[in-house]
């Protein structure tokens, strides 16, 4: 998932929250109210007003997507930045002695126009983009970076914050306010507030360069992923796919003006779902290579030069800020704290995982050999033969189970049902709220007492103009100070069925839906005064904890039996078939965990480059990094290669992809606690809500976890859940 919000007063470009396997264009601003003056040059009264410049009058301040045009964003960004800088400078120039209210509360109220523009833009650019929005993204990135610097590096403003910080013991603040003060001070220092004027100028240059490179990467990757789709002109080459999947491929081709052909669009990860089914090995190889080299064609969408330059700029920025490498700077405010802590955690998982993967590879090679074919297992063979092995070991066929997983039913009778049983939530579809694409559905969410909690948007199907992966984000954040309730969306990339066909998804897709809704719950249950500390505005290596924890309920018998029903007959999944899914839960874990480990360590390798290192050749660097980290198995590529690793180059997870594994440890510990205390009960759900989901970033996250779990996190339940113990 992902959610990306920023501090209440700081504009886009410095991410604080998190996402699931996905991507995001830019970070957010948050902030203040102010009635925006009309853009310069506006004339007669009949001139159309920019809907982004006024607070929405829709329920929960939901965006008026039916009124917003691409051309509204650039002037709205400019206006929002202008407003916030005026507000911030007024705070900095205040002649009165600094107080919590006239400095930090005022900061929390600043920038509301910019925040609204950024949130609406993020939704459209990531999930429903076009060339015009890509141009806005690239044009605005350096301006937003400069805007952020203008706040972080405002010395008069920082002096007021520092004065309050030095006097914090005598201010008698409530715990959340005290946390906000500490957060502001540390955040400003972390972003260069104590640098000399000369070094601040250098930092501004680095930030501008980085923002340009990041936006270029995002735009190139989106175009390359679309261009990398496999086009097939002979239906027989799709042997192995279901009729529904073939119809969807035909529809995808038709949508591109390729009537009479079939298109398999690329998903963001290295491996592609169709590789598990395609019987033609040459077609599998072509699909895999289209994915593996999507951004390495030597054309305008080749990202290698961009990421090499970006890694260099980040390293130089870290050195300027006093750190040995970018990872050391980035991890300072995370749970892990240091690169050494991350490496110790991740590398400890490598030996047992690679041993398991080698054993799995041997089993797959045996199947190949027994079939009478004579070739060595390759990456494009793994999913296909793993599926055969799954069938042999567990008599489990994905085509058998998909009829029991229809998207709407999984959502309403699975995801929503679990939220009701644990937390008392109820949902009502709203068809009067405008959406940005016809695929999107909107639901009003009601709390356990029947009071409105917020709005939830569900956008589940793949489009060519949607970034890959799955994520959560806010359109409106929660804040008691601002009087706002959460408006949240989940985005996925499931295959869209042909017209009139059911939307049947895989078991992995089911768990993705639960995952992203776990992020949504974290946002819906936010109960903070201040927007900077609200909901998912937590460390990267904590934000995935609620989402991964929520995945467990997908297979919980009470929940599973409530939604796993045949879309035609309504009959529940046979117990024997359901048992096969549960028995197969630890199947292929050497591969599944291995691709995550190699990606996590590849991320750390890129961000531990010292500033004085020469510009790296991306291909050579990646190969050496995989070798040095002992994850260089030819048949087990990283989940993301360097050249299309959206998380670390465009999504705020730089030196942070390990967070999925770190938070998996936390979520398995938490689920173990539930199992030890009666499982799915309202009392247990309420405790988790009260102690984790509703707390935002109002206290030390390690303490928050220990208070819930009773001790420090431990890796045992994670290894057990993965079948490695």
């Amino acid at each position: 998932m992902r959610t990306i919000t920023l501090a209440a007063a700081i504009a886009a470009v410095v991410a604080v929250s998190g996402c699931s396997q996905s991507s995001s264009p830019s970070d957010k601003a948050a902030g203040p109210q102010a009635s925006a003056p009309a853009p310069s040059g506006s004339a007669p009264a009949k001139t159309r007003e920019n809907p982004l410049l006024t607070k929405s009058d829709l329920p929960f301040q939901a965006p008026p997507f039916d009124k917003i045009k691409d051309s509204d964003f650039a002037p709205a960004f400019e206006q929002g930045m202008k407003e916030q800088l005026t507000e911030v400078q007024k705070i900095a120039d205040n002649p009165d002695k600094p107080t919590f209210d006239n400095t930090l509360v005022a900061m929390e109220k600043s920038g509301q126009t910019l925040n609204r523009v950024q949130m609406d833009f993020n939704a459209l650019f990531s999930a429903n983009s076009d060339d015009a929005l890509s141009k806005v993204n690239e044009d605005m990135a350096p301006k937003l970076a400069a805007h952020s610097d203008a706040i972080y590096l405002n010395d008069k403003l920082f002096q007021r914050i520092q004065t309050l910080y030095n006097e914090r013991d005598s201010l008698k603040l409530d715990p959340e306010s005290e946390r906000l003060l500490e957060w502001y001070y540390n955040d400003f220092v972390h972003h260069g507030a104590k640098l000399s004027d000369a070094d601040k100028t250098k930092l501004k240059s680095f930030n501008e360069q980085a923002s340009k490179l990041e936006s270029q990467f995002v735009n190139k990757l989106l175009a390359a992923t679309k261009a990398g789709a496999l086009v097939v002109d002979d239906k027989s080459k799709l042997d192995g796919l279901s009729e529904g999947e073939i119809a969807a491929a035909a529809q995808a081709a038709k949508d591109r003006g390729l009537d009479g052909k079939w298109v398999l669009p690329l998903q963001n990860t290295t491996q592609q779902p169709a590789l598990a089914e395609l019987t033609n090995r040459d077609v599998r190889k072509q699909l895999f290579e289209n994915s593996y080299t999507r951004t390495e064609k030597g054309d305008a969408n080749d990202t290698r030069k961009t990421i090499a330059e970006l890694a260099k700029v980040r390293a130089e920025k870290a050195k300027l800020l006093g750190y040995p490498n970018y990872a050391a700077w980035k991890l300072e405010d995370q749970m892990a704290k240091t690169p050494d802590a991350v490496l110790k955690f991740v590398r400890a998982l490598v030996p047992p995982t690679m041993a398991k993967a080698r054993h799995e590879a041997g089993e797959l090679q045996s199947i190949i050999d027994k079939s009478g074919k004579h070739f060595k297992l390759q990456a494009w063979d793994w999913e296909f033969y793993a599926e055969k092995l799954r069938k042999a070991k567990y008599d489990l066929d994905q085509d058998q189970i998909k009829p029991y997983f229809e998207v709407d039913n999984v959502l309403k009778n699975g995801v929503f049902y679990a939220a009701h049983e644990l937390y008392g939530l109820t949902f009502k579809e709203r068809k009067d709220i405008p959406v940005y694409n016809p695929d999107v559905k909107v639901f009003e969410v009601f709390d356990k007492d029947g009071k409105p909690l917020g709005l939830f948007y569900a956008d589940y199907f793949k489009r060519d103009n949607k970034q890959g992966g799955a994520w959560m984000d806010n359109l409106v954040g929660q804040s008691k100070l601002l009087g706002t309730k959460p408006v949240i969306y989940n985005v996925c990339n499931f295959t869209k069925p042909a017209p009139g066909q059911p939307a049947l998804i895989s078991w992995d897709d089911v768990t993705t839906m639960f995952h992203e809704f776990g992020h949504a719950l974290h946002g819906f249950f936010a109960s903070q005064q201040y927007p900077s500390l609200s909901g998912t505005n937590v460390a990267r290596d904590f934000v995935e904890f609620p989402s991964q924890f929520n995945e467990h309920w997908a297979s919980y018998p009470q929940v599973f039996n409530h939604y796993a029903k045949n879309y035609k007959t309504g009959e529940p999944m046979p117990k024997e078939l359901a048992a096969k899914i549960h028995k197969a839960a630890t199947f292929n874990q050497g591969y599944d965990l291995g691709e995550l480990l190699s990606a996590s360590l590849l991320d750390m390798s890129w961000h531990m480059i010292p500033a004085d290192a020469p510009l790296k050749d991306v291909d050579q660097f990646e190969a050496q990094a995989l070798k040095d980290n002992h994850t260089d198995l030819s048949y087990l590529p990283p989940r993301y290669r360097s050249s299309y690793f959206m998380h670390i180059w465009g999504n705020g997870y730089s030196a942070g992809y390990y967070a999925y594994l770190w938070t998996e440890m936390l979520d398995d510990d938490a689920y173990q606690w539930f199992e030890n205390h009666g499982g799915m009960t309202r009392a247990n759900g309420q405790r988790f809500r009260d102690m984790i989901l509703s707390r935002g970033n109002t206290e030390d996250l390690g303490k928050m976890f220990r208070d819930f779990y009773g001790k420090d996190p431990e890796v045992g339940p994670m290894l057990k859940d993965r079948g490695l113990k």
Side-chain angles (χ1 to χ4, degrees):
M1 156 230 106
R2 98 178 171 221
T3 181
I4 300 194
T5 56
L6 187 65
I10 317 297
V13 187
V14 189
V16 184
S17 49
C19 76
S20 90
Q21 310 291 7
S22 109
S23 39
S24 162
S26 51
D27 306 316
K28 292 195 171 122
Q33 195 81 52
S35 46
S40 58
S42 59
K46 291 184 179 180
T47 299
R48 175 181 175 275
E49 293 185 359
N50 189 327
L52 295 168
L53 295 179
T54 55
K55 185 169 68 175
S56 171
D57 58 5
L58 290 170
F60 303 94
Q61 299 180 32
F65 285 120
D66 55 338
K67 298 179 181 178
I68 296 171
K69 298 181 179 180
D70 289 354
S71 57
D72 293 329
F73 280 106
F77 269 120
E78 298 284 3
Q79 182 65 35
M81 287 186 283
K82 179 181 178 182
E83 281 182 22
Q84 189 175 28
L85 288 182
T86 299
E87 293 159 350
V88 168
Q89 196 58 47
K90 183 177 179 180
I91 297 168
D93 291 338
N94 190 338
D96 295 339
K97 182 180 184 298
T99 66
F100 185 83
D101 285 342
N102 71 18
T103 303
L104 297 190
V105 172
M107 286 289 289
E108 290 294 283
K109 291 180 178 178
S110 76
Q112 288 186 45
T113 296
L114 180 57
N115 180 62
R116 180 171 57 250
V117 176
Q118 186 74 58
M119 286 182 165
D120 292 355
F121 179 79
N122 280 0
L124 294 178
F125 178 70
S126 59
N128 207 53
S129 192
D130 55 32
D131 291 343
L133 292 180
S134 295
K135 182 70 165 58
V136 172
N137 182 61
E138 195 156 340
D139 289 347
M140 286 298 140
K143 294 182 179 182
L144 288 166
H147 177 78
S148 179
D149 285 339
I151 298 173
Y152 275 126
L153 305 181
N154 185 319
D155 189 60
K156 291 176 70 175
L157 177 62
F158 177 65
Q159 292 306 318
R160 294 181 71 85
I161 295 170
Q162 186 168 39
T163 296
L164 292 171
Y165 182 77
N166 292 339
E167 298 174 355
R168 62 192 183 282
D169 293 339
S170 64
L171 297 179
K172 298 181 180 179
L173 300 173
D174 63 83
E176 185 178 340
S177 297
E178 185 175 354
R179 176 75 169 180
L180 184 73
L181 172 55
E182 293 174 350
W183 184 87
Y184 261 99
Y185 175 78
N186 291 331
D187 198 43
F188 268 68
V189 172
H190 187 70
H191 288 93
K194 287 190 171 183
L195 292 177
S196 67
D197 289 343
D199 283 346
K200 284 180 179 178
T201 299
K202 292 180 183 177
L203 180 62
K204 290 177 183 178
S205 176
F206 289 145
N207 286 340
E208 181 181 4
Q209 292 176 58
S211 68
K212 288 180 179 178
L213 292 167
E214 287 162 5
S215 64
Q216 288 171 13
F217 172 83
V218 170
N219 290 341
K220 287 181 178 185
L221 177 56
L222 184 61
T225 300
K226 179 179 179 180
L230 179 63
V231 180
V232 176
D233 55 12
D234 181 352
K235 184 179 178 181
S236 67
K237 292 182 178 180
L238 299 179
D239 182 56
L241 299 187
S242 69
E243 284 303 315
E245 289 167 330
I246 292 173
Q251 184 64 44
K254 186 176 181 181
D255 292 343
R256 293 182 180 216
L258 298 173
D259 289 14
K261 296 187 179 182
W262 294 262
V263 167
L264 298 179
L266 294 184
Q267 294 195 12
N268 63 327
T269 52
T270 297
Q271 291 286 14
Q272 301 297 306
L275 291 170
E277 302 172 288
L278 290 165
T279 61
N280 187 312
R281 189 171 188 243
D282 290 337
V283 175
R284 289 202 308 271
K285 181 179 180 182
Q286 187 178 357
L287 178 58
F288 176 85
E289 290 184 341
N290 278 23
S291 172
Y292 197 68
T293 64
R294 70 184 78 177
T295 45
E296 300 181 357
K297 305 293 187 184
D299 58 8
N301 296 326
D302 194 309
T303 62
R304 287 173 291 185
K305 181 180 178 182
T306 302
I307 63 176
E309 292 176 354
L310 181 52
K312 180 76 171 174
V313 170
R314 287 176 174 175
E316 291 171 342
K317 171 181 173 176
K319 181 179 180 181
L320 179 68
L321 289 164
Y323 297 83
N325 52 59
Y326 187 82
W329 174 77
K330 193 68 184 290
L331 290 165
E332 183 180 53
D333 58 358
Q334 302 295 296
M335 286 188 73
K337 302 298 184 187
T338 67
D340 285 345
V342 171
L343 293 176
K344 181 179 179 181
F345 168 69
V346 179
R347 284 175 173 168
L349 297 171
V350 170
T353 303
M354 292 299 122
K356 178 90 168 175
R358 290 187 181 94
H359 174 74
E360 292 168 354
E363 290 183 298
L364 301 186
Q365 188 65 56
S366 178
I367 293 177
I368 294 170
D369 295 343
K370 288 178 180 178
S371 71
K373 297 178 180 179
H374 304 287
F375 58 81
K376 187 176 180 181
L377 176 72
Q378 299 293 343
W380 51 89
D381 300 312
W382 188 290
E383 296 288 349
F384 182 76
Y385 286 97
E387 189 58 28
K388 286 185 175 295
L389 183 60
R390 190 198 311 269
K391 291 175 184 177
K393 278 192 170 186
Y394 306 102
D395 191 24
L396 182 62
D397 187 334
Q398 292 294 330
D399 288 338
Q400 286 181 286
I401 65 176
K402 282 185 177 181
Y404 295 91
F405 301 144
E406 191 277 325
V407 165
D408 267 354
N409 186 55
V410 173
L411 177 64
K412 295 172 183 176
N413 290 312
V415 174
F416 288 172
Y417 173 74
H420 177 266
E421 295 301 292
L422 284 165
Y423 311 112
L425 301 188
T426 54
F427 305 83
K428 179 183 178 182
E429 187 167 1
R430 296 283 302 257
K431 297 188 177 181
D432 58 328
I433 306 291
V435 293
Y436 54 82
N437 186 281
D439 289 344
V440 181
K441 294 186 177 182
V442 183
F443 299 85
E444 186 167 358
V445 186
F446 298 91
D447 210 343
K448 58 184 182 294
D449 57 5
K451 293 181 179 178
L453 192 61
L455 288 179
F456 174 67
Y457 293 57
D459 179 6
Y460 288 134
F461 297 120
K462 172 73 179 173
R463 293 185 292 274
D464 278 343
N465 64 344
K466 180 192 281 190
Q467 291 180 23
W471 60 92
M472 165 270 188
D473 212 338
N474 279 74
L475 290 164
V476 180
Q478 179 276 334
S479 168
K480 294 176 183 177
L481 177 69
L482 304 180
T484 54
K485 292 184 178 182
V487 177
I488 289 170
Y489 58 99
N490 279 176
V491 181
C492 297
N493 271 278
F494 306 152
T495 299
K496 186 175 181 178
Q501 297 296 311
L504 306 180
I505 58 176
S506 69
W507 175 242
D508 284 347
D509 293 338
V510 171
T511 57
T512 295
M513 289 177 69
F514 276 82
H515 177 107
E516 298 309 331
F517 199 74
H519 284 301
L521 290 170
H522 198 185
F524 281 126
F525 290 148
S527 184
Q528 279 66 63
Q529 179 75 3
Y530 308 114
S532 289
L533 303 179
S534 179
T536 55
N537 285 332
V538 296
R540 289 291 192 199
D541 52 11
F542 190 87
V543 79
E544 297 296 335
F545 165 31
S547 57
Q548 295 191 152
F549 170 77
N550 204 55
E551 291 181 31
H552 289 280
W553 305 115
S555 57
Y556 194 76
Q558 177 184 339
V559 179
F560 185 87
N561 294 336
H562 197 260
Y563 72 85
K565 298 181 179 180
N566 189 285
Y567 78 96
K568 287 183 179 178
T569 67
E571 291 295 313
M573 181 181 287
K575 291 182 179 179
E576 302 78 21
L577 184 55
K580 292 174 185 178
I581 295 176
H582 301 315
K583 286 180 181 178
T586 58
F587 174 73
N588 209 41
Q589 285 301 307
Y591 185 95
D592 290 347
L593 183 55
E595 64 171 2
L596 288 173
L597 291 173
S598 58
S600 299
L601 290 166
L602 185 58
D603 167 31
M604 292 300 295
S605 296
W606 274 111
H607 292 108
M608 292 182 71
I609 296 173
D612 56 0
L615 202 64
K616 300 293 182 181
D617 175 274
V618 172
D619 297 333
Q620 292 178 8
F621 181 84
E622 178 175 292
Q624 189 63 48
L626 294 174
K627 182 178 180 180
D628 292 345
N629 289 316
H630 307 291
T631 58
D632 57 333
L633 300 180
S634 61
Y635 44 72
L636 204 171
R639 185 171 177 84
Y640 304 97
R641 294 189 67 211
S642 303
S643 62
Y644 51 85
F645 207 158
M646 168 65 91
H647 285 76
I648 69 171
W649 304 121
N651 191 28
Y653 271 75
S654 48
Y657 194 70
Y658 77 93
Y660 289 102
L661 296 169
W662 184 278
T663 52
E664 184 179 332
M665 173 176 62
L666 303 182
D667 91 70
D668 284 333
D669 286 351
Y671 187 71
Q672 184 69 58
W673 184 94
F674 267 72
E675 287 193 318
N676 294 342
H677 292 82
M680 175 177 270
T681 67
R682 281 285 293 109
N684 287 345
Q686 191 63 42
R687 185 175 186 269
F688 191 67
R689 173 178 177 171
D690 291 343
M691 301 183 75
I692 300 292
L693 296 178
S694 67
R695 300 304 304 277
N697 194 21
T698 56
E699 68 176 323
D700 177 79
L701 299 172
K703 178 182 183 301
M704 189 185 297
F705 180 83
R706 286 190 296 273
D707 287 348
F708 174 80
Y709 188 55
K711 53 186 174 181
D712 285 329
E714 52 193 343
V715 77
M718 174 184 171
L719 295 177
K720 175 186 173 184
D721 191 59
R722 285 276 187 176
L724 296 175
K725 181 179 180 181

